Short mmCIF file of all heavy atoms in Angstrom, two decimals:
data_model
loop_
_atom_site.label_atom_id
_atom_site.label_comp_id
_atom_site.label_asym_id
_atom_site.label_seq_id
_atom_site.Cartn_x
_atom_site.Cartn_y
_atom_site.Cartn_z
N GLN A 3 -0.55 -15.89 -6.24
CA GLN A 3 -0.36 -15.25 -4.96
C GLN A 3 1.00 -15.63 -4.46
O GLN A 3 1.30 -16.78 -4.38
CB GLN A 3 -1.56 -15.59 -4.04
CG GLN A 3 -1.44 -14.95 -2.76
CD GLN A 3 -2.56 -15.16 -1.86
OE1 GLN A 3 -3.70 -15.21 -2.42
NE2 GLN A 3 -2.41 -15.28 -0.57
N TYR A 4 1.75 -14.71 -3.95
CA TYR A 4 3.04 -14.86 -3.34
C TYR A 4 2.97 -15.12 -1.88
O TYR A 4 2.27 -14.32 -1.20
CB TYR A 4 3.96 -13.78 -3.71
CG TYR A 4 5.29 -13.82 -3.14
CD1 TYR A 4 6.21 -14.71 -3.78
CD2 TYR A 4 5.76 -13.11 -2.12
CE1 TYR A 4 7.46 -14.89 -3.26
CE2 TYR A 4 7.05 -13.29 -1.63
CZ TYR A 4 7.96 -14.07 -2.32
OH TYR A 4 9.12 -14.29 -1.73
N SER A 5 3.55 -16.17 -1.35
CA SER A 5 3.46 -16.43 0.06
C SER A 5 4.75 -16.59 0.74
O SER A 5 4.88 -16.94 1.75
CB SER A 5 2.69 -17.78 0.21
OG SER A 5 3.37 -18.84 -0.40
N GLY A 6 5.88 -16.15 0.03
CA GLY A 6 7.26 -16.16 0.50
C GLY A 6 7.56 -14.99 1.43
O GLY A 6 6.62 -14.19 1.78
N ARG A 7 8.71 -14.85 1.78
CA ARG A 7 9.23 -13.73 2.54
C ARG A 7 10.08 -12.75 1.69
O ARG A 7 11.27 -13.10 1.42
CB ARG A 7 10.06 -14.13 3.78
CG ARG A 7 9.23 -15.03 4.75
CD ARG A 7 9.94 -15.40 5.85
NE ARG A 7 10.53 -14.19 6.54
CZ ARG A 7 10.34 -13.91 7.77
NH1 ARG A 7 9.81 -14.70 8.61
NH2 ARG A 7 10.88 -12.79 8.29
N PRO A 8 9.57 -11.71 1.25
CA PRO A 8 10.32 -10.78 0.37
C PRO A 8 11.41 -10.02 1.10
O PRO A 8 11.31 -9.81 2.39
CB PRO A 8 9.34 -9.83 -0.33
CG PRO A 8 8.19 -9.86 0.70
CD PRO A 8 8.22 -11.19 1.28
N LEU A 9 12.46 -9.68 0.42
CA LEU A 9 13.51 -8.87 0.98
C LEU A 9 13.43 -7.46 0.41
O LEU A 9 13.32 -7.33 -0.80
CB LEU A 9 14.97 -9.47 0.67
CG LEU A 9 16.11 -8.57 0.94
CD1 LEU A 9 16.26 -8.51 2.45
CD2 LEU A 9 17.41 -9.09 0.38
N THR A 10 13.31 -6.49 1.30
CA THR A 10 13.12 -5.08 0.90
C THR A 10 14.43 -4.60 0.38
O THR A 10 15.44 -4.47 1.10
CB THR A 10 12.58 -4.13 2.01
OG1 THR A 10 11.34 -4.73 2.44
CG2 THR A 10 12.41 -2.77 1.51
N CYS A 11 14.54 -4.18 -0.94
CA CYS A 11 15.83 -3.71 -1.48
C CYS A 11 15.82 -2.19 -1.32
O CYS A 11 16.89 -1.58 -1.09
CB CYS A 11 15.89 -4.03 -3.00
SG CYS A 11 15.95 -5.84 -3.32
N SER A 12 14.68 -1.45 -1.56
CA SER A 12 14.66 -0.06 -1.41
C SER A 12 13.26 0.32 -1.06
O SER A 12 12.26 -0.42 -1.42
CB SER A 12 15.11 0.71 -2.69
OG SER A 12 14.16 0.55 -3.77
N LEU A 13 13.01 1.40 -0.27
CA LEU A 13 11.75 1.93 0.07
C LEU A 13 11.81 3.41 0.13
O LEU A 13 12.77 3.88 0.86
CB LEU A 13 11.33 1.47 1.36
CG LEU A 13 10.07 1.86 2.08
CD1 LEU A 13 8.79 1.57 1.09
CD2 LEU A 13 9.91 1.34 3.42
N GLU A 14 10.92 4.13 -0.48
CA GLU A 14 10.95 5.65 -0.45
C GLU A 14 9.54 6.03 -0.07
O GLU A 14 8.54 5.68 -0.71
CB GLU A 14 11.30 6.26 -1.82
CG GLU A 14 11.25 7.73 -1.75
CD GLU A 14 11.53 8.36 -3.15
OE1 GLU A 14 12.21 7.66 -3.95
OE2 GLU A 14 11.10 9.51 -3.27
N MET A 15 9.33 6.72 1.13
CA MET A 15 8.06 7.22 1.62
C MET A 15 7.98 8.62 1.32
O MET A 15 9.02 9.41 1.58
CB MET A 15 7.96 6.97 3.10
CG MET A 15 7.73 5.54 3.47
SD MET A 15 6.04 5.06 3.23
CE MET A 15 5.05 6.16 4.12
N ARG A 16 6.78 9.09 0.93
CA ARG A 16 6.47 10.52 0.82
C ARG A 16 5.26 10.79 1.64
O ARG A 16 4.21 10.32 1.36
CB ARG A 16 6.34 10.96 -0.67
CG ARG A 16 7.61 10.88 -1.42
CD ARG A 16 7.44 10.92 -2.95
NE ARG A 16 6.62 9.88 -3.51
CZ ARG A 16 7.05 8.58 -3.77
NH1 ARG A 16 8.20 8.33 -3.47
NH2 ARG A 16 6.19 7.76 -4.42
N TYR A 17 5.36 11.70 2.57
CA TYR A 17 4.18 12.03 3.47
C TYR A 17 3.57 13.31 2.86
O TYR A 17 4.22 14.29 2.64
CB TYR A 17 4.58 12.37 4.98
CG TYR A 17 5.34 11.13 5.48
CD1 TYR A 17 6.66 10.90 5.44
CD2 TYR A 17 4.44 10.11 6.04
CE1 TYR A 17 7.23 9.84 6.12
CE2 TYR A 17 5.04 8.94 6.62
CZ TYR A 17 6.36 8.81 6.58
OH TYR A 17 6.96 7.71 7.11
N ARG A 18 2.26 13.24 2.56
CA ARG A 18 1.54 14.32 1.92
C ARG A 18 0.65 15.16 2.74
O ARG A 18 0.35 16.26 2.46
CB ARG A 18 0.73 13.76 0.80
CG ARG A 18 1.57 12.89 -0.29
CD ARG A 18 2.53 13.74 -0.99
NE ARG A 18 3.22 12.95 -2.08
CZ ARG A 18 4.27 13.47 -2.77
NH1 ARG A 18 4.73 14.57 -2.47
NH2 ARG A 18 4.78 12.68 -3.62
N ALA A 19 0.02 14.51 3.77
CA ALA A 19 -0.92 15.16 4.66
C ALA A 19 -0.93 14.47 5.98
O ALA A 19 -0.64 13.33 6.16
CB ALA A 19 -2.34 15.14 4.00
N THR A 20 -1.42 15.20 7.01
CA THR A 20 -1.39 14.64 8.33
C THR A 20 -2.71 13.78 8.43
O THR A 20 -3.67 13.96 7.75
CB THR A 20 -1.57 15.72 9.39
OG1 THR A 20 -2.63 16.58 9.13
CG2 THR A 20 -0.29 16.57 9.40
N ILE A 21 -2.67 12.86 9.39
CA ILE A 21 -3.82 11.95 9.71
C ILE A 21 -4.09 12.15 11.21
O ILE A 21 -3.23 12.21 12.10
CB ILE A 21 -3.44 10.58 9.44
CG1 ILE A 21 -3.15 10.31 7.97
CG2 ILE A 21 -4.55 9.63 9.84
CD1 ILE A 21 -2.63 8.94 7.67
N THR A 22 -5.35 12.34 11.55
CA THR A 22 -5.81 12.47 12.99
C THR A 22 -6.20 11.18 13.49
O THR A 22 -6.75 10.28 12.81
CB THR A 22 -7.06 13.42 12.99
OG1 THR A 22 -6.77 14.67 12.35
CG2 THR A 22 -7.49 13.65 14.42
N VAL A 23 -5.81 10.95 14.81
CA VAL A 23 -6.12 9.71 15.49
C VAL A 23 -7.68 9.43 15.40
O VAL A 23 -8.51 10.33 15.47
CB VAL A 23 -5.76 9.80 16.97
CG1 VAL A 23 -6.30 8.57 17.74
CG2 VAL A 23 -4.22 9.98 17.22
N GLY A 24 -7.86 8.24 14.90
CA GLY A 24 -9.36 7.83 14.76
C GLY A 24 -9.87 7.87 13.27
O GLY A 24 -10.82 7.22 13.06
N GLU A 25 -9.05 8.50 12.42
CA GLU A 25 -9.45 8.56 11.02
C GLU A 25 -9.21 7.16 10.34
O GLU A 25 -8.28 6.56 10.67
CB GLU A 25 -8.68 9.56 10.26
CG GLU A 25 -9.12 11.07 10.52
CD GLU A 25 -8.43 11.99 9.66
OE1 GLU A 25 -7.19 12.10 9.75
OE2 GLU A 25 -9.13 12.75 8.90
N GLU A 26 -10.11 6.71 9.55
CA GLU A 26 -9.91 5.40 8.85
C GLU A 26 -9.00 5.63 7.68
O GLU A 26 -9.24 6.50 6.79
CB GLU A 26 -11.25 4.97 8.36
CG GLU A 26 -11.22 3.55 7.82
CD GLU A 26 -12.55 2.95 7.53
OE1 GLU A 26 -13.51 3.20 8.27
OE2 GLU A 26 -12.68 2.22 6.44
N ILE A 27 -7.96 4.82 7.61
CA ILE A 27 -6.96 4.82 6.46
C ILE A 27 -7.16 3.66 5.53
O ILE A 27 -7.36 2.56 5.96
CB ILE A 27 -5.53 4.79 7.08
CG1 ILE A 27 -5.24 5.89 8.17
CG2 ILE A 27 -4.50 4.79 5.94
CD1 ILE A 27 -4.10 5.67 8.93
N THR A 28 -7.14 3.99 4.21
CA THR A 28 -7.27 3.00 3.21
C THR A 28 -5.97 2.92 2.56
O THR A 28 -5.36 3.88 2.07
CB THR A 28 -8.41 3.33 2.14
OG1 THR A 28 -9.58 3.47 2.88
CG2 THR A 28 -8.44 2.29 1.20
N ALA A 29 -5.38 1.77 2.42
CA ALA A 29 -4.10 1.51 1.74
C ALA A 29 -4.36 0.56 0.53
O ALA A 29 -5.01 -0.38 0.57
CB ALA A 29 -3.07 0.74 2.64
N THR A 30 -3.80 1.08 -0.62
CA THR A 30 -3.97 0.40 -1.92
C THR A 30 -2.48 0.17 -2.39
O THR A 30 -1.68 1.02 -2.27
CB THR A 30 -4.74 1.01 -2.84
OG1 THR A 30 -4.24 2.32 -3.11
CG2 THR A 30 -6.20 1.14 -2.36
N ALA A 31 -2.29 -1.00 -2.97
CA ALA A 31 -0.93 -1.26 -3.54
C ALA A 31 -1.09 -1.87 -4.88
O ALA A 31 -2.06 -2.60 -5.16
CB ALA A 31 -0.12 -2.31 -2.66
N VAL A 32 -0.17 -1.49 -5.74
CA VAL A 32 -0.24 -2.06 -7.12
C VAL A 32 1.29 -2.44 -7.51
O VAL A 32 2.21 -1.67 -7.18
CB VAL A 32 -0.85 -1.08 -8.11
CG1 VAL A 32 -0.51 0.32 -7.86
CG2 VAL A 32 -0.40 -1.22 -9.58
N LEU A 33 1.42 -3.52 -8.24
CA LEU A 33 2.69 -4.05 -8.78
C LEU A 33 2.97 -3.14 -10.08
O LEU A 33 2.17 -3.19 -10.97
CB LEU A 33 2.58 -5.46 -9.27
CG LEU A 33 3.83 -6.09 -9.71
CD1 LEU A 33 4.89 -6.11 -8.65
CD2 LEU A 33 3.44 -7.55 -10.14
N LEU A 34 4.14 -2.54 -10.11
CA LEU A 34 4.37 -1.65 -11.19
C LEU A 34 5.23 -2.43 -12.22
O LEU A 34 5.03 -2.17 -13.38
CB LEU A 34 5.23 -0.48 -10.74
CG LEU A 34 4.71 0.49 -9.76
CD1 LEU A 34 5.59 1.50 -9.27
CD2 LEU A 34 3.51 1.28 -10.37
N LYS A 35 6.19 -3.32 -11.76
CA LYS A 35 7.04 -3.91 -12.67
C LYS A 35 7.64 -5.08 -12.11
O LYS A 35 7.82 -5.18 -10.89
CB LYS A 35 8.11 -2.97 -13.12
CG LYS A 35 9.21 -3.47 -13.97
CD LYS A 35 10.27 -2.38 -14.28
CE LYS A 35 11.46 -2.85 -14.92
NZ LYS A 35 12.46 -1.86 -15.18
N ARG A 36 7.92 -6.19 -12.86
CA ARG A 36 8.65 -7.31 -12.41
C ARG A 36 9.68 -7.79 -13.32
O ARG A 36 9.47 -7.84 -14.48
CB ARG A 36 7.67 -8.44 -12.23
CG ARG A 36 8.27 -9.77 -11.69
CD ARG A 36 7.36 -10.92 -11.40
NE ARG A 36 7.93 -12.09 -11.82
CZ ARG A 36 7.37 -13.09 -12.37
NH1 ARG A 36 6.05 -13.07 -12.62
NH2 ARG A 36 8.03 -14.12 -12.72
N LYS A 37 10.88 -7.92 -12.86
CA LYS A 37 12.01 -8.37 -13.68
C LYS A 37 12.75 -9.41 -12.87
O LYS A 37 13.46 -9.08 -11.90
CB LYS A 37 12.83 -7.19 -14.14
CG LYS A 37 14.03 -7.59 -15.10
CD LYS A 37 14.64 -6.40 -15.72
CE LYS A 37 15.66 -6.80 -16.70
NZ LYS A 37 16.43 -5.59 -17.35
N HIS A 38 12.69 -10.65 -13.36
CA HIS A 38 13.38 -11.70 -12.64
C HIS A 38 12.96 -11.78 -11.23
O HIS A 38 11.84 -12.02 -10.97
CB HIS A 38 14.93 -11.67 -12.92
CG HIS A 38 15.41 -11.58 -14.27
ND1 HIS A 38 15.27 -12.65 -15.23
CD2 HIS A 38 15.82 -10.56 -15.01
CE1 HIS A 38 15.68 -12.22 -16.34
NE2 HIS A 38 16.05 -11.04 -16.25
N ARG A 39 13.94 -11.64 -10.25
CA ARG A 39 13.64 -11.79 -8.90
C ARG A 39 13.23 -10.40 -8.21
O ARG A 39 13.08 -10.49 -6.98
CB ARG A 39 14.70 -12.46 -8.13
CG ARG A 39 14.95 -13.93 -8.68
CD ARG A 39 16.03 -14.57 -7.91
NE ARG A 39 15.76 -14.61 -6.52
CZ ARG A 39 16.62 -14.93 -5.64
NH1 ARG A 39 17.93 -15.33 -5.93
NH2 ARG A 39 16.27 -15.18 -4.45
N ILE A 40 13.14 -9.35 -8.97
CA ILE A 40 12.86 -8.17 -8.35
C ILE A 40 11.49 -7.62 -8.76
O ILE A 40 11.14 -7.63 -10.07
CB ILE A 40 13.91 -7.02 -8.69
CG1 ILE A 40 15.35 -7.50 -8.42
CG2 ILE A 40 13.61 -5.64 -8.07
CD1 ILE A 40 15.74 -7.67 -6.95
N VAL A 41 10.76 -7.18 -7.92
CA VAL A 41 9.36 -6.46 -8.19
C VAL A 41 9.38 -5.09 -7.61
O VAL A 41 9.96 -4.81 -6.53
CB VAL A 41 8.25 -7.37 -7.72
CG1 VAL A 41 8.08 -8.64 -8.37
CG2 VAL A 41 8.23 -7.44 -6.15
N TRP A 42 8.66 -4.18 -8.31
CA TRP A 42 8.48 -2.83 -7.90
C TRP A 42 7.01 -2.59 -7.66
O TRP A 42 6.23 -2.99 -8.45
CB TRP A 42 9.01 -1.85 -8.98
CG TRP A 42 10.49 -1.78 -9.13
CD1 TRP A 42 11.39 -0.95 -8.56
CD2 TRP A 42 11.25 -2.72 -9.94
NE1 TRP A 42 12.65 -1.26 -8.96
CE2 TRP A 42 12.68 -2.35 -9.82
CE3 TRP A 42 11.03 -3.79 -10.66
CZ2 TRP A 42 13.70 -2.99 -10.47
CZ3 TRP A 42 12.00 -4.53 -11.35
CH2 TRP A 42 13.39 -4.05 -11.21
N ALA A 43 6.77 -1.90 -6.49
CA ALA A 43 5.34 -1.61 -6.19
C ALA A 43 5.15 -0.27 -5.77
O ALA A 43 6.09 0.44 -5.31
CB ALA A 43 4.94 -2.62 -5.07
N LEU A 44 3.94 0.20 -5.89
CA LEU A 44 3.52 1.58 -5.39
C LEU A 44 2.33 1.33 -4.34
O LEU A 44 1.42 0.52 -4.64
CB LEU A 44 2.98 2.43 -6.59
CG LEU A 44 2.31 3.65 -6.15
CD1 LEU A 44 3.26 4.73 -5.66
CD2 LEU A 44 1.63 4.26 -7.50
N CYS A 45 2.36 2.05 -3.31
CA CYS A 45 1.36 1.99 -2.27
C CYS A 45 0.94 3.39 -1.94
O CYS A 45 1.74 4.36 -1.86
CB CYS A 45 1.86 1.35 -0.95
SG CYS A 45 0.67 1.39 0.38
N ARG A 46 -0.43 3.58 -1.87
CA ARG A 46 -0.96 4.91 -1.48
C ARG A 46 -1.83 4.74 -0.27
O ARG A 46 -2.66 3.77 -0.18
CB ARG A 46 -1.74 5.52 -2.62
CG ARG A 46 -0.87 5.95 -3.78
CD ARG A 46 -1.70 6.72 -4.78
NE ARG A 46 -0.80 7.35 -5.76
CZ ARG A 46 -0.74 7.03 -7.08
NH1 ARG A 46 -1.72 6.22 -7.52
NH2 ARG A 46 0.04 7.68 -7.93
N MET A 47 -1.75 5.67 0.75
CA MET A 47 -2.63 5.62 1.83
C MET A 47 -3.45 6.95 1.78
O MET A 47 -2.86 8.02 1.68
CB MET A 47 -1.80 5.60 3.09
CG MET A 47 -1.13 4.20 3.31
SD MET A 47 -0.40 4.00 4.75
CE MET A 47 1.18 4.78 4.55
N THR A 48 -4.79 6.65 1.89
CA THR A 48 -5.71 7.84 1.82
C THR A 48 -6.78 7.86 2.98
O THR A 48 -6.91 6.76 3.60
CB THR A 48 -6.51 7.85 0.55
OG1 THR A 48 -7.22 6.52 0.45
CG2 THR A 48 -5.62 7.97 -0.68
N VAL A 49 -7.20 8.99 3.32
CA VAL A 49 -8.36 9.19 4.17
C VAL A 49 -9.44 9.81 3.35
O VAL A 49 -9.33 11.06 2.93
CB VAL A 49 -7.98 10.02 5.40
CG1 VAL A 49 -9.27 10.24 6.25
CG2 VAL A 49 -6.90 9.38 6.28
N GLY A 50 -10.46 9.08 2.96
CA GLY A 50 -11.43 9.63 2.01
C GLY A 50 -10.78 9.86 0.72
O GLY A 50 -10.01 8.98 0.15
N ASP A 51 -10.86 11.02 0.04
CA ASP A 51 -10.21 11.33 -1.10
C ASP A 51 -8.80 12.06 -0.91
O ASP A 51 -8.17 12.36 -1.85
CB ASP A 51 -11.15 12.33 -1.92
CG ASP A 51 -12.30 11.65 -2.43
OD1 ASP A 51 -12.30 10.51 -2.60
OD2 ASP A 51 -13.34 12.42 -2.58
N ARG A 52 -8.37 12.14 0.42
CA ARG A 52 -7.16 13.00 0.67
C ARG A 52 -5.99 11.99 0.64
O ARG A 52 -5.99 10.96 1.51
CB ARG A 52 -7.35 13.56 2.08
CG ARG A 52 -6.08 14.48 2.43
CD ARG A 52 -6.40 15.18 3.74
NE ARG A 52 -6.17 14.37 4.87
CZ ARG A 52 -6.94 14.12 5.75
NH1 ARG A 52 -8.21 14.49 5.78
NH2 ARG A 52 -6.58 13.30 6.83
N LEU A 53 -5.00 12.18 -0.21
CA LEU A 53 -3.79 11.40 -0.17
C LEU A 53 -2.94 11.86 0.91
O LEU A 53 -2.49 13.01 0.99
CB LEU A 53 -3.00 11.60 -1.58
CG LEU A 53 -1.71 10.95 -1.66
CD1 LEU A 53 -1.87 9.37 -1.69
CD2 LEU A 53 -1.04 11.31 -2.99
N CYS A 54 -2.58 10.88 1.86
CA CYS A 54 -1.84 11.17 3.00
C CYS A 54 -0.36 10.68 2.97
O CYS A 54 0.47 11.37 3.51
CB CYS A 54 -2.44 10.55 4.22
SG CYS A 54 -4.20 11.18 4.48
N ALA A 55 -0.15 9.66 2.33
CA ALA A 55 1.22 9.12 2.09
C ALA A 55 1.33 8.16 0.92
O ALA A 55 0.21 7.62 0.49
CB ALA A 55 1.66 8.28 3.38
N GLU A 56 2.45 8.18 0.27
CA GLU A 56 2.68 7.17 -0.77
C GLU A 56 4.01 6.69 -0.76
O GLU A 56 4.95 7.38 -0.19
CB GLU A 56 2.34 7.78 -2.16
CG GLU A 56 3.11 9.00 -2.50
CD GLU A 56 2.63 9.70 -3.81
OE1 GLU A 56 1.93 8.97 -4.56
OE2 GLU A 56 2.95 10.78 -3.89
N ALA A 57 4.25 5.47 -1.24
CA ALA A 57 5.57 4.86 -1.17
C ALA A 57 5.85 4.11 -2.41
O ALA A 57 4.95 3.46 -3.05
CB ALA A 57 5.67 3.93 0.07
N THR A 58 7.16 4.00 -2.91
CA THR A 58 7.50 3.13 -3.79
C THR A 58 8.55 2.16 -3.30
O THR A 58 9.38 2.57 -2.40
CB THR A 58 8.05 3.82 -5.12
OG1 THR A 58 9.15 4.75 -4.61
CG2 THR A 58 7.03 4.56 -5.72
N ALA A 59 8.64 0.91 -3.66
CA ALA A 59 9.49 -0.04 -3.04
C ALA A 59 9.96 -1.08 -4.16
O ALA A 59 9.23 -1.29 -5.11
CB ALA A 59 8.94 -0.70 -1.92
N ALA A 60 11.12 -1.64 -3.95
CA ALA A 60 11.62 -2.76 -4.72
C ALA A 60 11.80 -3.91 -3.77
O ALA A 60 12.38 -3.73 -2.64
CB ALA A 60 12.88 -2.45 -5.43
N PHE A 61 11.44 -5.11 -4.11
CA PHE A 61 11.46 -6.26 -3.36
C PHE A 61 12.20 -7.41 -4.06
O PHE A 61 11.99 -7.56 -5.28
CB PHE A 61 10.11 -6.76 -2.90
CG PHE A 61 9.29 -5.81 -2.05
CD1 PHE A 61 8.42 -4.97 -2.68
CD2 PHE A 61 9.56 -5.63 -0.67
CE1 PHE A 61 7.74 -4.09 -1.99
CE2 PHE A 61 8.82 -4.75 0.04
CZ PHE A 61 7.89 -3.90 -0.59
N LYS A 62 13.04 -8.15 -3.37
CA LYS A 62 13.61 -9.39 -4.02
C LYS A 62 12.80 -10.60 -3.47
O LYS A 62 12.53 -10.61 -2.34
CB LYS A 62 15.01 -9.53 -3.58
CG LYS A 62 15.72 -10.69 -4.13
CD LYS A 62 17.20 -10.67 -3.82
CE LYS A 62 18.00 -11.82 -4.33
NZ LYS A 62 19.39 -11.83 -3.91
N ILE A 63 12.36 -11.45 -4.49
CA ILE A 63 11.50 -12.63 -4.18
C ILE A 63 12.04 -13.87 -4.61
O ILE A 63 12.97 -13.81 -5.55
CB ILE A 63 10.09 -12.37 -4.58
CG1 ILE A 63 10.00 -12.01 -6.06
CG2 ILE A 63 9.40 -11.18 -3.86
CD1 ILE A 63 8.69 -11.90 -6.65
N ASP A 64 11.56 -14.98 -4.17
CA ASP A 64 11.91 -16.32 -4.67
C ASP A 64 11.30 -16.66 -5.91
O ASP A 64 10.10 -16.54 -6.02
CB ASP A 64 11.71 -17.35 -3.61
CG ASP A 64 12.51 -17.14 -2.34
OD1 ASP A 64 13.61 -16.67 -2.39
OD2 ASP A 64 12.01 -17.50 -1.24
N HIS A 65 12.07 -17.19 -6.93
CA HIS A 65 11.46 -17.72 -8.12
C HIS A 65 10.50 -18.84 -7.95
O HIS A 65 9.39 -18.99 -8.53
CB HIS A 65 12.54 -18.19 -9.14
CG HIS A 65 13.13 -17.16 -9.96
ND1 HIS A 65 12.45 -16.59 -10.91
CD2 HIS A 65 14.42 -16.65 -9.99
CE1 HIS A 65 13.23 -15.60 -11.61
NE2 HIS A 65 14.44 -15.68 -10.93
N GLU A 66 10.80 -19.70 -7.01
CA GLU A 66 9.95 -20.89 -6.78
C GLU A 66 8.50 -20.43 -6.40
O GLU A 66 7.57 -21.15 -6.60
CB GLU A 66 10.53 -21.77 -5.70
CG GLU A 66 11.88 -22.37 -6.05
CD GLU A 66 12.98 -21.41 -5.89
OE1 GLU A 66 12.98 -20.46 -5.07
OE2 GLU A 66 14.08 -21.55 -6.65
N GLN A 67 8.35 -19.30 -5.75
CA GLN A 67 7.04 -18.91 -5.26
C GLN A 67 6.21 -18.35 -6.38
O GLN A 67 4.99 -18.39 -6.38
CB GLN A 67 7.22 -17.90 -4.16
CG GLN A 67 7.79 -18.44 -2.87
CD GLN A 67 7.01 -19.39 -2.18
OE1 GLN A 67 5.74 -19.28 -2.19
NE2 GLN A 67 7.60 -20.35 -1.59
N ILE A 68 6.82 -17.78 -7.37
CA ILE A 68 6.10 -17.03 -8.49
C ILE A 68 6.21 -17.50 -9.81
O ILE A 68 5.57 -17.09 -10.72
CB ILE A 68 6.48 -15.44 -8.50
CG1 ILE A 68 7.85 -15.36 -8.69
CG2 ILE A 68 5.97 -14.83 -7.20
CD1 ILE A 68 8.31 -13.93 -9.03
N GLY A 69 7.27 -18.31 -10.01
CA GLY A 69 7.53 -18.92 -11.42
C GLY A 69 8.56 -17.88 -12.07
O GLY A 69 8.67 -16.83 -11.79
N ASP A 70 9.22 -18.47 -13.14
CA ASP A 70 10.23 -17.62 -13.79
C ASP A 70 9.54 -16.76 -14.89
O ASP A 70 8.47 -17.10 -15.34
CB ASP A 70 11.17 -18.59 -14.52
CG ASP A 70 12.15 -19.33 -13.56
OD1 ASP A 70 12.46 -18.68 -12.55
OD2 ASP A 70 12.51 -20.47 -13.82
N ASP A 71 10.24 -15.68 -15.22
CA ASP A 71 9.82 -14.89 -16.32
C ASP A 71 9.90 -15.54 -17.66
O ASP A 71 10.78 -16.33 -17.94
CB ASP A 71 10.59 -13.56 -16.47
CG ASP A 71 10.29 -12.63 -15.32
OD1 ASP A 71 9.13 -12.68 -14.69
OD2 ASP A 71 11.09 -11.81 -14.93
#
């Protein structure tokens, strides 16, 4: 588990559907790739089965927190 402070290198958001105030949003994230100090992740936000937003991002993290490749 990573407990450091990552630096966001890039972030791309795609909005797919509107969300109404009061709807419950579920966010899931998955690590796509890790190379040295850079990790890439995908996040999806849904309301029920409806995809409302998704994002891909790259983060720079500390080796000491996760160990070397």
Side-chain angles (χ1 to χ4, degrees):
Q3 179 171 327
Y4 181 71
S5 61
R7 295 183 59 130
L9 170 68
T10 304
C11 298
S12 67
L13 174 66
E14 180 180 337
M15 284 287 300
R16 292 171 297 283
Y17 299 97
R18 304 292 188 190
T20 59
I21 298 172
T22 303
V23 172
E25 287 185 297
E26 186 172 324
I27 303 166
T28 301
T30 55
V32 34
L33 180 65
L34 298 174
K35 178 181 170 182
R36 180 178 141 213
K37 186 170 182 180
H38 304 290
R39 295 179 64 190
I40 306 293
V41 294
W42 289 264
L44 169 68
C45 178
R46 289 192 171 117
M47 292 188 280
T48 58
V49 173
D51 292 333
R52 187 174 83 238
L53 177 62
C54 298
E56 58 187 341
T58 53
F61 301 95
K62 183 177 179 182
I63 57 178
D64 295 328
H65 272 293
E66 296 78 27
Q67 295 291 327
I68 59 167
D70 290 328
D71 286 337

